[in-house]
Amino acid sequence: MNIGQAAEASGVSAKMIRYYESIGLIPKTVRTEAGYRVYSDKDVHTLRFIRRARDLGFSVEQIADLVSLWQDRGRASKDVKRVALEHVETLERKIAELQEMAGTLKHLARTCHGDGRPDCPIIEELASDAGSVTSRPPPKFGTLGKISVRE
Amino acid sequence: MNIGQAAEASGVSAKMIRYYESIGLIPKTVRTEAGYRVYSDKDVHTLRFIRRARDLGFSVEQIADLVSLWQDRGRASKDVKRVALEHVETLERKIAELQEMAGTLKHLARTCHGDGRPDCPIIEELASDAGSVTSRPPPKFGTLGKISVRE
DNA sequence: GCTTGACCTTCCCATCATGGGAAGGATCAC
DNA sequence: GTGATCCTTCCCATGATGGGAAGGTCAAGC
């Protein structure tokens, strides 16, 4: 099977399959004489595993752990559980951070007329001289990076 | 005031101040003869405004809107409110997405012994042949990008 | 006046996962 | 054999941020 079919079957784009190969997440495939990558059903299975883990928000690094645990038949389930629960914690920290942003904004928006007049508590809060706009200001040297909410 | 002092006073790093200037979010500053950027208290005020908006998760693009609304004394508060509420919606979509991931994982983790034995529902779910791991699979051609949960 | 350290400048690189696209070769269906 | 569709590699872009190098500037202390 060529890369396009493997992509179709696994839900991982051809571009990403090549990328995963380049960073060593998946091994280099067999090639045809012409240099085309060739995939087996087993490879597709692995790719699907990876896609599911991505859908759950695991980083490529964590996925590498998960894949090797998956392929280690003697693994201890606690090792898998640990990876999963650590990720849950990360997710929950992010959720809390986003919720604080959304909460602050909703509160400000509630107090804003939202009509044709110029006075607006939202702008005023952003422009205020006081410390921080969030209740717990993001620690300058904290462990949490900026949250990305790009679409 | 030099860039370092402006950074200190505003909470925006010197690196980011230069970046914001380079992309046109803030205007080019006056320079000393030696080429050093010079900032006024008003500039610092603007930078602090920007930092607060960043803390609330607004993108640089949205911040550009907010800054120009801020500086437009005749703005309609509804224009500010719209930007804010659109961002709240984005935040809430992200929150829901992260919550779904966390929920799925917590459920799987609950059913995993987490001991020395190898059998693990988490891995099994990732490796399963069924469709998607999340209840509503991320639409392949949807409007929502991948969620970033990097730290 | 000269040295030293702290500051500033620009420029390039890295992140992380992903896609776009170009240039060129391979394969396949007709 | 020809055109369409695939594949290859390579480079670039995203978004906000930091790291760091190479070199210029400035102020304080001697």
Side-chain angles (χ1 to χ4, degrees), chain A residues 45 52 75 77-78 81 92-94 106 112 117-118 126-127 130-131 150-151, chain B residues 45 52 75 77 81 92-94 106 112 117-118 126-127 130-131 150-151:
Chain A
H45 197 208
R52 283 152 174 276
R75 72 183 163 255
S77 64
K78 70 163 185 285
K81 193 167 181 170
E92 291 189 334
R93 256 179 287 132
K94 301 294 174 183
K106 279 196 283 190
C112 170
R117 284 173 290 172
L126 290 171
R150 265 172 269 128
E151 298 202 56
Chain B
H45 196 209
R52 283 154 174 275
R75 73 186 162 254
S77 64
K81 191 166 182 171
E92 291 188 333
R93 256 180 286 132
K94 301 294 174 182
K106 278 195 285 190
C112 171
R117 285 173 289 174
L126 290 172
R150 267 171 267 129
E151 302 204 47

PDB file of all heavy atoms in Angstrom, chain A residues 45 52 75 77-78 81 92-94 106 112 117-118 126-127 130-131 150-151, chain B residues 45 52 75 77 81 92-94 106 112 117-118 126-127 130-131 150-151:
ATOM      1  N   HIS A  45      -2.347   0.134  11.297  1.00  0.00           N
ATOM      2  CA  HIS A  45      -2.851  -0.028  12.663  1.00  0.00           C
ATOM      3  C   HIS A  45      -2.090   0.898  13.621  1.00  0.00           C
ATOM      4  O   HIS A  45      -2.675   1.572  14.461  1.00  0.00           O
ATOM      5  CB  HIS A  45      -2.704  -1.496  13.082  1.00  0.00           C
ATOM      6  CG  HIS A  45      -3.535  -1.861  14.272  1.00  0.00           C
ATOM      7  ND1 HIS A  45      -3.198  -2.867  15.146  1.00  0.00           N
ATOM      8  CD2 HIS A  45      -4.690  -1.344  14.748  1.00  0.00           C
ATOM      9  CE1 HIS A  45      -4.101  -2.945  16.104  1.00  0.00           C
ATOM     10  NE2 HIS A  45      -5.017  -2.042  15.878  1.00  0.00           N
ATOM     11  N   ARG A  52      -5.403   8.310  17.168  1.00  0.00           N
ATOM     12  CA  ARG A  52      -6.277   8.341  18.331  1.00  0.00           C
ATOM     13  C   ARG A  52      -5.624   9.038  19.510  1.00  0.00           C
ATOM     14  O   ARG A  52      -6.264   9.800  20.231  1.00  0.00           O
ATOM     15  CB  ARG A  52      -6.618   6.919  18.753  1.00  0.00           C
ATOM     16  CG  ARG A  52      -7.650   6.308  17.865  1.00  0.00           C
ATOM     17  CD  ARG A  52      -7.451   4.817  17.844  1.00  0.00           C
ATOM     18  NE  ARG A  52      -8.533   4.205  17.108  1.00  0.00           N
ATOM     19  CZ  ARG A  52      -9.699   3.918  17.641  1.00  0.00           C
ATOM     20  NH1 ARG A  52      -9.907   4.153  18.917  1.00  0.00           N
ATOM     21  NH2 ARG A  52     -10.639   3.397  16.903  1.00  0.00           N
ATOM     22  N   ARG A  75       4.447  -4.936  29.481  1.00  0.00           N
ATOM     23  CA  ARG A  75       4.313  -3.642  30.191  1.00  0.00           C
ATOM     24  C   ARG A  75       3.462  -3.784  31.442  1.00  0.00           C
ATOM     25  O   ARG A  75       2.615  -4.683  31.526  1.00  0.00           O
ATOM     26  CB  ARG A  75       3.652  -2.632  29.264  1.00  0.00           C
ATOM     27  CG  ARG A  75       2.193  -3.002  29.121  1.00  0.00           C
ATOM     28  CD  ARG A  75       1.377  -2.196  28.208  1.00  0.00           C
ATOM     29  NE  ARG A  75       0.169  -2.965  27.916  1.00  0.00           N
ATOM     30  CZ  ARG A  75      -0.058  -3.595  26.788  1.00  0.00           C
ATOM     31  NH1 ARG A  75       0.821  -3.538  25.797  1.00  0.00           N
ATOM     32  NH2 ARG A  75      -1.157  -4.291  26.631  1.00  0.00           N
ATOM     33  N   SER A  77       0.468  -2.092  33.501  1.00  0.00           N
ATOM     34  CA  SER A  77      -0.603  -1.145  33.162  1.00  0.00           C
ATOM     35  C   SER A  77      -0.435   0.161  33.935  1.00  0.00           C
ATOM     36  O   SER A  77      -0.896   1.201  33.495  1.00  0.00           O
ATOM     37  CB  SER A  77      -1.973  -1.763  33.433  1.00  0.00           C
ATOM     38  OG  SER A  77      -2.145  -2.037  34.806  1.00  0.00           O
ATOM     39  N   LYS A  78       0.239   0.108  35.061  1.00  0.00           N
ATOM     40  CA  LYS A  78       0.411   1.356  35.813  1.00  0.00           C
ATOM     41  C   LYS A  78       1.265   2.365  35.053  1.00  0.00           C
ATOM     42  O   LYS A  78       1.122   3.569  35.226  1.00  0.00           O
ATOM     43  CB  LYS A  78       1.011   1.081  37.205  1.00  0.00           C
ATOM     44  CG  LYS A  78       2.454   0.639  37.231  1.00  0.00           C
ATOM     45  CD  LYS A  78       3.016   0.810  38.666  1.00  0.00           C
ATOM     46  CE  LYS A  78       4.501   0.509  38.734  1.00  0.00           C
ATOM     47  NZ  LYS A  78       4.797  -0.935  38.668  1.00  0.00           N
ATOM     48  N   LYS A  81      -1.119   3.996  32.728  1.00  0.00           N
ATOM     49  CA  LYS A  81      -2.027   4.837  33.507  1.00  0.00           C
ATOM     50  C   LYS A  81      -1.341   6.132  33.943  1.00  0.00           C
ATOM     51  O   LYS A  81      -1.950   7.195  33.935  1.00  0.00           O
ATOM     52  CB  LYS A  81      -2.521   4.052  34.735  1.00  0.00           C
ATOM     53  CG  LYS A  81      -3.692   4.699  35.450  1.00  0.00           C
ATOM     54  CD  LYS A  81      -4.327   3.737  36.446  1.00  0.00           C
ATOM     55  CE  LYS A  81      -5.521   4.358  37.148  1.00  0.00           C
ATOM     56  NZ  LYS A  81      -6.281   3.378  37.941  1.00  0.00           N
ATOM     57  N   GLU A  92      -6.341  19.443  32.527  1.00  0.00           N
ATOM     58  CA  GLU A  92      -7.182  20.134  33.498  1.00  0.00           C
ATOM     59  C   GLU A  92      -6.600  21.482  33.899  1.00  0.00           C
ATOM     60  O   GLU A  92      -7.339  22.433  34.165  1.00  0.00           O
ATOM     61  CB  GLU A  92      -7.453  19.226  34.701  1.00  0.00           C
ATOM     62  CG  GLU A  92      -8.351  18.069  34.263  1.00  0.00           C
ATOM     63  CD  GLU A  92      -8.879  17.206  35.386  1.00  0.00           C
ATOM     64  OE1 GLU A  92      -8.224  17.132  36.444  1.00  0.00           O
ATOM     65  OE2 GLU A  92      -9.958  16.595  35.197  1.00  0.00           O
ATOM     66  N   ARG A  93      -5.293  21.568  33.911  1.00  0.00           N
ATOM     67  CA  ARG A  93      -4.688  22.880  34.172  1.00  0.00           C
ATOM     68  C   ARG A  93      -5.037  23.863  33.063  1.00  0.00           C
ATOM     69  O   ARG A  93      -5.372  25.011  33.308  1.00  0.00           O
ATOM     70  CB  ARG A  93      -3.162  22.737  34.291  1.00  0.00           C
ATOM     71  CG  ARG A  93      -2.666  22.816  35.730  1.00  0.00           C
ATOM     72  CD  ARG A  93      -1.169  22.641  35.792  1.00  0.00           C
ATOM     73  NE  ARG A  93      -0.788  21.255  35.545  1.00  0.00           N
ATOM     74  CZ  ARG A  93       0.158  20.880  34.698  1.00  0.00           C
ATOM     75  NH1 ARG A  93       0.843  21.763  34.003  1.00  0.00           N
ATOM     76  NH2 ARG A  93       0.427  19.603  34.552  1.00  0.00           N
ATOM     77  N   LYS A  94      -4.954  23.372  31.834  1.00  0.00           N
ATOM     78  CA  LYS A  94      -5.293  24.245  30.706  1.00  0.00           C
ATOM     79  C   LYS A  94      -6.749  24.660  30.763  1.00  0.00           C
ATOM     80  O   LYS A  94      -7.107  25.805  30.521  1.00  0.00           O
ATOM     81  CB  LYS A  94      -5.031  23.521  29.378  1.00  0.00           C
ATOM     82  CG  LYS A  94      -3.604  23.073  29.189  1.00  0.00           C
ATOM     83  CD  LYS A  94      -2.649  24.230  29.060  1.00  0.00           C
ATOM     84  CE  LYS A  94      -1.211  23.729  29.032  1.00  0.00           C
ATOM     85  NZ  LYS A  94      -0.234  24.825  28.978  1.00  0.00           N
ATOM     86  N   LYS A 106     -16.509  37.117  30.557  1.00  0.00           N
ATOM     87  CA  LYS A 106     -17.973  37.093  30.610  1.00  0.00           C
ATOM     88  C   LYS A 106     -18.476  38.090  31.638  1.00  0.00           C
ATOM     89  O   LYS A 106     -19.456  38.794  31.411  1.00  0.00           O
ATOM     90  CB  LYS A 106     -18.475  35.682  30.919  1.00  0.00           C
ATOM     91  CG  LYS A 106     -18.500  34.808  29.686  1.00  0.00           C
ATOM     92  CD  LYS A 106     -19.329  33.567  29.899  1.00  0.00           C
ATOM     93  CE  LYS A 106     -18.566  32.555  30.729  1.00  0.00           C
ATOM     94  NZ  LYS A 106     -19.246  31.255  30.764  1.00  0.00           N
ATOM     95  N   CYS A 112     -21.056  45.453  30.420  1.00  0.00           N
ATOM     96  CA  CYS A 112     -20.885  46.399  29.304  1.00  0.00           C
ATOM     97  C   CYS A 112     -22.213  46.553  28.580  1.00  0.00           C
ATOM     98  O   CYS A 112     -22.829  45.561  28.191  1.00  0.00           O
ATOM     99  CB  CYS A 112     -19.808  45.870  28.345  1.00  0.00           C
ATOM    100  SG  CYS A 112     -19.694  46.771  26.780  1.00  0.00           S
ATOM    101  N   ARG A 117     -22.965  53.703  22.833  1.00  0.00           N
ATOM    102  CA  ARG A 117     -22.164  54.612  23.673  1.00  0.00           C
ATOM    103  C   ARG A 117     -20.728  54.118  23.800  1.00  0.00           C
ATOM    104  O   ARG A 117     -20.484  52.910  23.731  1.00  0.00           O
ATOM    105  CB  ARG A 117     -22.811  54.715  25.062  1.00  0.00           C
ATOM    106  CG  ARG A 117     -24.047  55.591  25.062  1.00  0.00           C
ATOM    107  CD  ARG A 117     -24.740  55.531  26.407  1.00  0.00           C
ATOM    108  NE  ARG A 117     -25.371  54.224  26.630  1.00  0.00           N
ATOM    109  CZ  ARG A 117     -25.916  53.859  27.790  1.00  0.00           C
ATOM    110  NH1 ARG A 117     -25.897  54.679  28.831  1.00  0.00           N
ATOM    111  NH2 ARG A 117     -26.482  52.675  27.919  1.00  0.00           N
ATOM    112  N   PRO A 118     -19.810  55.035  24.021  1.00  0.00           N
ATOM    113  CA  PRO A 118     -18.396  54.645  24.029  1.00  0.00           C
ATOM    114  C   PRO A 118     -17.913  54.024  25.335  1.00  0.00           C
ATOM    115  O   PRO A 118     -16.911  53.308  25.330  1.00  0.00           O
ATOM    116  CB  PRO A 118     -17.660  55.957  23.759  1.00  0.00           C
ATOM    117  CG  PRO A 118     -18.581  57.022  24.245  1.00  0.00           C
ATOM    118  CD  PRO A 118     -19.976  56.500  24.070  1.00  0.00           C
ATOM    119  N   LEU A 126      -8.934  46.661  30.774  1.00  0.00           N
ATOM    120  CA  LEU A 126      -7.653  46.424  30.094  1.00  0.00           C
ATOM    121  C   LEU A 126      -6.723  47.614  30.280  1.00  0.00           C
ATOM    122  O   LEU A 126      -5.502  47.459  30.396  1.00  0.00           O
ATOM    123  CB  LEU A 126      -7.882  46.177  28.596  1.00  0.00           C
ATOM    124  CG  LEU A 126      -8.554  44.858  28.245  1.00  0.00           C
ATOM    125  CD1 LEU A 126      -8.918  44.812  26.768  1.00  0.00           C
ATOM    126  CD2 LEU A 126      -7.636  43.688  28.581  1.00  0.00           C
ATOM    127  N   ALA A 127      -7.299  48.798  30.319  1.00  0.00           N
ATOM    128  CA  ALA A 127      -6.475  50.001  30.399  1.00  0.00           C
ATOM    129  C   ALA A 127      -6.176  50.421  31.831  1.00  0.00           C
ATOM    130  O   ALA A 127      -5.402  51.340  32.037  1.00  0.00           O
ATOM    131  CB  ALA A 127      -7.176  51.143  29.672  1.00  0.00           C
ATOM    132  N   ALA A 130      -4.252  49.122  37.623  1.00  0.00           N
ATOM    133  CA  ALA A 130      -4.046  48.093  38.649  1.00  0.00           C
ATOM    134  C   ALA A 130      -3.221  46.931  38.093  1.00  0.00           C
ATOM    135  O   ALA A 130      -2.879  46.896  36.919  1.00  0.00           O
ATOM    136  CB  ALA A 130      -5.397  47.589  39.144  1.00  0.00           C
ATOM    137  N   GLY A 131      -2.932  46.002  38.995  1.00  0.00           N
ATOM    138  CA  GLY A 131      -2.009  44.920  38.659  1.00  0.00           C
ATOM    139  C   GLY A 131      -2.386  44.082  37.460  1.00  0.00           C
ATOM    140  O   GLY A 131      -2.039  44.401  36.336  1.00  0.00           O
ATOM    141  N   ARG A 150      -5.632  29.424  19.332  1.00  0.00           N
ATOM    142  CA  ARG A 150      -5.782  29.685  17.885  1.00  0.00           C
ATOM    143  C   ARG A 150      -6.744  28.692  17.259  1.00  0.00           C
ATOM    144  O   ARG A 150      -6.880  27.569  17.710  1.00  0.00           O
ATOM    145  CB  ARG A 150      -4.410  29.545  17.205  1.00  0.00           C
ATOM    146  CG  ARG A 150      -3.704  30.869  17.060  1.00  0.00           C
ATOM    147  CD  ARG A 150      -2.306  30.633  16.570  1.00  0.00           C
ATOM    148  NE  ARG A 150      -1.395  30.474  17.669  1.00  0.00           N
ATOM    149  CZ  ARG A 150      -0.557  29.450  17.804  1.00  0.00           C
ATOM    150  NH1 ARG A 150      -0.524  28.483  16.924  1.00  0.00           N
ATOM    151  NH2 ARG A 150       0.241  29.396  18.831  1.00  0.00           N
ATOM    152  N   GLU A 151      -7.370  29.150  16.216  1.00  0.00           N
ATOM    153  CA  GLU A 151      -8.272  28.216  15.519  1.00  0.00           C
ATOM    154  C   GLU A 151      -7.601  27.688  14.271  1.00  0.00           C
ATOM    155  O   GLU A 151      -6.752  28.299  13.707  1.00  0.00           O
ATOM    156  CB  GLU A 151      -9.540  28.951  15.098  1.00  0.00           C
ATOM    157  CG  GLU A 151     -10.277  29.458  16.326  1.00  0.00           C
ATOM    158  CD  GLU A 151     -11.745  29.696  16.011  1.00  0.00           C
ATOM    159  OE1 GLU A 151     -12.394  28.740  15.561  1.00  0.00           O
ATOM    160  OE2 GLU A 151     -12.233  30.792  16.220  1.00  0.00           O
TER     161      GLU A 151
ATOM    162  N   HIS B  45       1.887  52.380  29.139  1.00  0.00           N
ATOM    163  CA  HIS B  45       0.463  52.153  29.396  1.00  0.00           C
ATOM    164  C   HIS B  45      -0.134  51.269  28.293  1.00  0.00           C
ATOM    165  O   HIS B  45      -0.856  50.316  28.558  1.00  0.00           O
ATOM    166  CB  HIS B  45      -0.250  53.508  29.474  1.00  0.00           C
ATOM    167  CG  HIS B  45      -1.608  53.440  30.099  1.00  0.00           C
ATOM    168  ND1 HIS B  45      -2.629  54.303  29.780  1.00  0.00           N
ATOM    169  CD2 HIS B  45      -2.124  52.611  31.033  1.00  0.00           C
ATOM    170  CE1 HIS B  45      -3.714  53.992  30.471  1.00  0.00           C
ATOM    171  NE2 HIS B  45      -3.436  52.982  31.240  1.00  0.00           N
ATOM    172  N   ARG B  52      -2.342  42.732  29.298  1.00  0.00           N
ATOM    173  CA  ARG B  52      -3.579  42.262  29.917  1.00  0.00           C
ATOM    174  C   ARG B  52      -4.446  41.520  28.916  1.00  0.00           C
ATOM    175  O   ARG B  52      -5.060  40.500  29.238  1.00  0.00           O
ATOM    176  CB  ARG B  52      -4.358  43.455  30.440  1.00  0.00           C
ATOM    177  CG  ARG B  52      -3.801  43.991  31.709  1.00  0.00           C
ATOM    178  CD  ARG B  52      -4.153  45.453  31.837  1.00  0.00           C
ATOM    179  NE  ARG B  52      -3.734  45.926  33.148  1.00  0.00           N
ATOM    180  CZ  ARG B  52      -4.482  45.801  34.220  1.00  0.00           C
ATOM    181  NH1 ARG B  52      -5.671  45.258  34.138  1.00  0.00           N
ATOM    182  NH2 ARG B  52      -4.024  46.204  35.379  1.00  0.00           N
ATOM    183  N   ARG B  75     -15.727  55.252  19.965  1.00  0.00           N
ATOM    184  CA  ARG B  75     -16.122  53.862  19.698  1.00  0.00           C
ATOM    185  C   ARG B  75     -17.495  53.548  20.296  1.00  0.00           C
ATOM    186  O   ARG B  75     -17.917  54.192  21.268  1.00  0.00           O
ATOM    187  CB  ARG B  75     -15.108  52.913  20.329  1.00  0.00           C
ATOM    188  CG  ARG B  75     -15.305  52.940  21.832  1.00  0.00           C
ATOM    189  CD  ARG B  75     -14.325  52.199  22.638  1.00  0.00           C
ATOM    190  NE  ARG B  75     -14.424  52.678  24.009  1.00  0.00           N
ATOM    191  CZ  ARG B  75     -13.532  53.461  24.582  1.00  0.00           C
ATOM    192  NH1 ARG B  75     -12.434  53.821  23.945  1.00  0.00           N
ATOM    193  NH2 ARG B  75     -13.714  53.886  25.821  1.00  0.00           N
ATOM    194  N   SER B  77     -19.522  50.832  22.423  1.00  0.00           N
ATOM    195  CA  SER B  77     -19.158  49.745  23.333  1.00  0.00           C
ATOM    196  C   SER B  77     -19.568  48.396  22.760  1.00  0.00           C
ATOM    197  O   SER B  77     -18.983  47.366  23.079  1.00  0.00           O
ATOM    198  CB  SER B  77     -19.774  49.966  24.717  1.00  0.00           C
ATOM    199  OG  SER B  77     -21.178  49.926  24.651  1.00  0.00           O
ATOM    200  N   LYS B  81     -17.623  44.810  22.908  1.00  0.00           N
ATOM    201  CA  LYS B  81     -18.309  43.658  23.465  1.00  0.00           C
ATOM    202  C   LYS B  81     -18.316  42.494  22.460  1.00  0.00           C
ATOM    203  O   LYS B  81     -18.158  41.338  22.834  1.00  0.00           O
ATOM    204  CB  LYS B  81     -19.745  44.045  23.837  1.00  0.00           C
ATOM    205  CG  LYS B  81     -20.467  43.005  24.670  1.00  0.00           C
ATOM    206  CD  LYS B  81     -21.731  43.584  25.286  1.00  0.00           C
ATOM    207  CE  LYS B  81     -22.437  42.561  26.173  1.00  0.00           C
ATOM    208  NZ  LYS B  81     -23.552  43.181  26.944  1.00  0.00           N
ATOM    209  N   GLU B  92     -14.622  28.897  24.924  1.00  0.00           N
ATOM    210  CA  GLU B  92     -15.525  27.853  25.404  1.00  0.00           C
ATOM    211  C   GLU B  92     -15.497  26.625  24.500  1.00  0.00           C
ATOM    212  O   GLU B  92     -15.637  25.498  24.971  1.00  0.00           O
ATOM    213  CB  GLU B  92     -16.929  28.420  25.593  1.00  0.00           C
ATOM    214  CG  GLU B  92     -16.919  29.396  26.777  1.00  0.00           C
ATOM    215  CD  GLU B  92     -18.282  29.889  27.216  1.00  0.00           C
ATOM    216  OE1 GLU B  92     -19.213  29.927  26.380  1.00  0.00           O
ATOM    217  OE2 GLU B  92     -18.409  30.255  28.413  1.00  0.00           O
ATOM    218  N   ARG B  93     -15.287  26.844  23.225  1.00  0.00           N
ATOM    219  CA  ARG B  93     -15.140  25.695  22.331  1.00  0.00           C
ATOM    220  C   ARG B  93     -13.890  24.901  22.693  1.00  0.00           C
ATOM    221  O   ARG B  93     -13.906  23.670  22.758  1.00  0.00           O
ATOM    222  CB  ARG B  93     -15.062  26.166  20.877  1.00  0.00           C
ATOM    223  CG  ARG B  93     -16.347  25.943  20.104  1.00  0.00           C
ATOM    224  CD  ARG B  93     -16.211  26.428  18.679  1.00  0.00           C
ATOM    225  NE  ARG B  93     -16.238  27.882  18.636  1.00  0.00           N
ATOM    226  CZ  ARG B  93     -15.391  28.658  17.973  1.00  0.00           C
ATOM    227  NH1 ARG B  93     -14.410  28.112  17.287  1.00  0.00           N
ATOM    228  NH2 ARG B  93     -15.520  29.959  17.998  1.00  0.00           N
ATOM    229  N   LYS B  94     -12.815  25.610  22.966  1.00  0.00           N
ATOM    230  CA  LYS B  94     -11.572  24.929  23.352  1.00  0.00           C
ATOM    231  C   LYS B  94     -11.746  24.187  24.660  1.00  0.00           C
ATOM    232  O   LYS B  94     -11.286  23.060  24.832  1.00  0.00           O
ATOM    233  CB  LYS B  94     -10.433  25.952  23.507  1.00  0.00           C
ATOM    234  CG  LYS B  94     -10.137  26.745  22.253  1.00  0.00           C
ATOM    235  CD  LYS B  94      -9.596  25.873  21.143  1.00  0.00           C
ATOM    236  CE  LYS B  94      -9.442  26.678  19.858  1.00  0.00           C
ATOM    237  NZ  LYS B  94      -8.962  25.890  18.729  1.00  0.00           N
ATOM    238  N   LYS B 106     -10.084  10.077  31.627  1.00  0.00           N
ATOM    239  CA  LYS B 106     -10.363   9.755  33.023  1.00  0.00           C
ATOM    240  C   LYS B 106     -11.205   8.482  33.112  1.00  0.00           C
ATOM    241  O   LYS B 106     -10.979   7.632  33.969  1.00  0.00           O
ATOM    242  CB  LYS B 106     -11.074  10.921  33.710  1.00  0.00           C
ATOM    243  CG  LYS B 106     -10.097  11.985  34.151  1.00  0.00           C
ATOM    244  CD  LYS B 106     -10.721  12.952  35.142  1.00  0.00           C
ATOM    245  CE  LYS B 106     -11.658  13.897  34.435  1.00  0.00           C
ATOM    246  NZ  LYS B 106     -12.101  14.995  35.338  1.00  0.00           N
ATOM    247  N   CYS B 112      -8.712   1.088  34.389  1.00  0.00           N
ATOM    248  CA  CYS B 112      -7.388   0.452  34.272  1.00  0.00           C
ATOM    249  C   CYS B 112      -6.859   0.139  35.660  1.00  0.00           C
ATOM    250  O   CYS B 112      -6.808   1.021  36.524  1.00  0.00           O
ATOM    251  CB  CYS B 112      -6.435   1.397  33.538  1.00  0.00           C
ATOM    252  SG  CYS B 112      -4.705   0.868  33.557  1.00  0.00           S
ATOM    253  N   ARG B 117       0.216  -5.720  36.129  1.00  0.00           N
ATOM    254  CA  ARG B 117      -0.269  -6.557  35.031  1.00  0.00           C
ATOM    255  C   ARG B 117      -0.279  -5.770  33.713  1.00  0.00           C
ATOM    256  O   ARG B 117      -0.457  -4.554  33.722  1.00  0.00           O
ATOM    257  CB  ARG B 117      -1.677  -7.067  35.347  1.00  0.00           C
ATOM    258  CG  ARG B 117      -1.669  -8.180  36.375  1.00  0.00           C
ATOM    259  CD  ARG B 117      -3.079  -8.535  36.774  1.00  0.00           C
ATOM    260  NE  ARG B 117      -3.696  -7.477  37.578  1.00  0.00           N
ATOM    261  CZ  ARG B 117      -4.977  -7.489  37.956  1.00  0.00           C
ATOM    262  NH1 ARG B 117      -5.779  -8.472  37.576  1.00  0.00           N
ATOM    263  NH2 ARG B 117      -5.465  -6.523  38.697  1.00  0.00           N
ATOM    264  N   PRO B 118      -0.137  -6.480  32.607  1.00  0.00           N
ATOM    265  CA  PRO B 118      -0.013  -5.776  31.334  1.00  0.00           C
ATOM    266  C   PRO B 118      -1.334  -5.324  30.722  1.00  0.00           C
ATOM    267  O   PRO B 118      -1.338  -4.416  29.902  1.00  0.00           O
ATOM    268  CB  PRO B 118       0.665  -6.808  30.419  1.00  0.00           C
ATOM    269  CG  PRO B 118       0.297  -8.132  30.994  1.00  0.00           C
ATOM    270  CD  PRO B 118       0.124  -7.939  32.473  1.00  0.00           C
ATOM    271  N   LEU B 126      -6.882   2.724  22.465  1.00  0.00           N
ATOM    272  CA  LEU B 126      -6.097   3.391  21.414  1.00  0.00           C
ATOM    273  C   LEU B 126      -5.856   2.452  20.243  1.00  0.00           C
ATOM    274  O   LEU B 126      -5.821   2.868  19.089  1.00  0.00           O
ATOM    275  CB  LEU B 126      -4.757   3.872  21.973  1.00  0.00           C
ATOM    276  CG  LEU B 126      -4.828   5.051  22.951  1.00  0.00           C
ATOM    277  CD1 LEU B 126      -3.470   5.302  23.588  1.00  0.00           C
ATOM    278  CD2 LEU B 126      -5.304   6.303  22.228  1.00  0.00           C
ATOM    279  N   ALA B 127      -5.698   1.176  20.560  1.00  0.00           N
ATOM    280  CA  ALA B 127      -5.369   0.198  19.519  1.00  0.00           C
ATOM    281  C   ALA B 127      -6.601  -0.406  18.860  1.00  0.00           C
ATOM    282  O   ALA B 127      -6.479  -1.164  17.908  1.00  0.00           O
ATOM    283  CB  ALA B 127      -4.511  -0.915  20.120  1.00  0.00           C
ATOM    284  N   ALA B 130     -12.190   0.136  16.141  1.00  0.00           N
ATOM    285  CA  ALA B 130     -13.383   0.963  15.946  1.00  0.00           C
ATOM    286  C   ALA B 130     -12.991   2.366  15.485  1.00  0.00           C
ATOM    287  O   ALA B 130     -11.821   2.724  15.423  1.00  0.00           O
ATOM    288  CB  ALA B 130     -14.189   1.032  17.247  1.00  0.00           C
ATOM    289  N   GLY B 131     -14.028   3.137  15.192  1.00  0.00           N
ATOM    290  CA  GLY B 131     -13.812   4.437  14.568  1.00  0.00           C
ATOM    291  C   GLY B 131     -12.926   5.382  15.343  1.00  0.00           C
ATOM    292  O   GLY B 131     -11.712   5.390  15.167  1.00  0.00           O
ATOM    293  N   ARG B 150       0.474  22.127  24.903  1.00  0.00           N
ATOM    294  CA  ARG B 150       1.884  22.112  25.297  1.00  0.00           C
ATOM    295  C   ARG B 150       2.101  22.961  26.539  1.00  0.00           C
ATOM    296  O   ARG B 150       1.392  23.914  26.788  1.00  0.00           O
ATOM    297  CB  ARG B 150       2.731  22.695  24.156  1.00  0.00           C
ATOM    298  CG  ARG B 150       3.240  21.626  23.229  1.00  0.00           C
ATOM    299  CD  ARG B 150       3.869  22.274  22.041  1.00  0.00           C
ATOM    300  NE  ARG B 150       2.922  22.426  20.968  1.00  0.00           N
ATOM    301  CZ  ARG B 150       2.696  23.558  20.314  1.00  0.00           C
ATOM    302  NH1 ARG B 150       3.355  24.654  20.633  1.00  0.00           N
ATOM    303  NH2 ARG B 150       1.829  23.596  19.353  1.00  0.00           N
ATOM    304  N   GLU B 151       3.113  22.602  27.282  1.00  0.00           N
ATOM    305  CA  GLU B 151       3.410  23.408  28.468  1.00  0.00           C
ATOM    306  C   GLU B 151       4.569  24.335  28.200  1.00  0.00           C
ATOM    307  O   GLU B 151       5.401  24.067  27.389  1.00  0.00           O
ATOM    308  CB  GLU B 151       3.796  22.494  29.630  1.00  0.00           C
ATOM    309  CG  GLU B 151       2.700  21.525  29.933  1.00  0.00           C
ATOM    310  CD  GLU B 151       2.785  21.049  31.369  1.00  0.00           C
ATOM    311  OE1 GLU B 151       2.953  21.901  32.249  1.00  0.00           O
ATOM    312  OE2 GLU B 151       2.690  19.855  31.604  1.00  0.00           O
TER     313      GLU B 151
END
